[in-house]
Amino acid sequence: MYVQILDVLQKKFIKINQKKIIQISKLIGSDVILGINPKSAILSSNGIVKKFSKTSRFNILLIRPNFGCSTKNIYSGVKNFSKPILNNPRKNMMNLKSLLKYKNDLEKIAFTKYPKLKILKSFLVNLENPLLVRMTGSGSVLVAYFQKKQDCELAKVQFKRKFKNYWCNTSNTI
């Protein structure tokens, strides 16, 4: 939807080229560029975007509890990070086998500071047929990946039954 609005603005009201869009997006945030052109892509720490044309498709359940994590608070607990593996993007790194190997170094810290997140992840992991469950960035959103749409929809129903006050929605990868 955001991209459609941007397209309309560019065509009807604002005459702006791709280079200017990139400059503006960098002023807003380093990862904004990923939302402007929704394709499977990885943003390296050096600012280079690597796009992938063939990636695995997943149905996802997004969970956001009724509290947020303080990014500053989470990063204050970092002692050291794993070696960056996404800075040298390869074709096969977006398949399920590779995705299962990756982890979020910030999860452990977030789960210590916000124990409810650990409970939520445990609940998602124990649902029927999730392929993997990860926390986004420094939290607090959790994402459960499913192969089948009906498994994802069932997971949403089960989650909403147990955690009524938390936002959740389904989507799929692009």
Side-chain angles (χ1 to χ4, degrees), residues 59-65 107 111 116-136 140-146 151-163 166-170:
N59 295 281
I60 57 174
L61 178 64
L62 297 149
I63 304 296
R64 188 184 186 291
E107 274 190 10
F111 293 167
K116 189 70 170 178
L117 282 176
K118 187 174 184 175
I119 293 167
L120 294 172
K121 181 173 181 181
S122 178
F123 179 84
L124 293 170
V125 166
N126 289 304
L127 289 171
E128 194 168 325
N129 300 323
L131 299 170
L132 66 142
V133 179
R134 296 287 187 273
M135 183 182 77
T136 61
S140 62
V141 174
L142 293 163
V143 183
Y145 295 78
F146 295 88
D151 290 339
C152 188
E153 293 293 340
L154 177 61
K156 179 180 178 182
V157 169
Q158 292 171 328
F159 183 85
K160 288 302 285 179
R161 192 176 299 141
K162 182 159 176 82
F163 301 97
Y166 292 171
W167 178 88
C168 79
N169 210 347
T170 58

Side-chain angles (χ1 to χ4, degrees), residues 8-71:
V8 169
L9 285 173
Q10 280 181 293
K11 290 176 185 168
K12 303 246 182 207
F13 303 106
I14 303 171
K15 301 296 181 200
I16 188 169
N17 62 30
Q18 192 66 24
K19 186 176 179 181
K20 191 68 174 171
I21 291 170
I22 292 169
Q23 288 175 333
I24 293 169
S25 69
K26 284 180 180 178
L27 292 172
I28 298 167
S30 61
D31 59 352
V32 170
I33 195 68
L34 294 173
I36 289 179
N37 190 1
K39 302 256 188 235
S40 294
I42 291 178
L43 175 65
S44 299
S45 61
N46 61 5
I48 295 172
V49 176
K50 169 73 174 174
K51 294 179 183 171
F52 295 89
S53 57
K54 293 184 181 179
T55 59
S56 300
R57 302 272 180 178
F58 301 106
N59 295 281
I60 57 174
L61 178 64
L62 297 149
I63 304 296
R64 188 184 186 291
N66 57 5
F67 60 88
C69 295
S70 162
T71 300

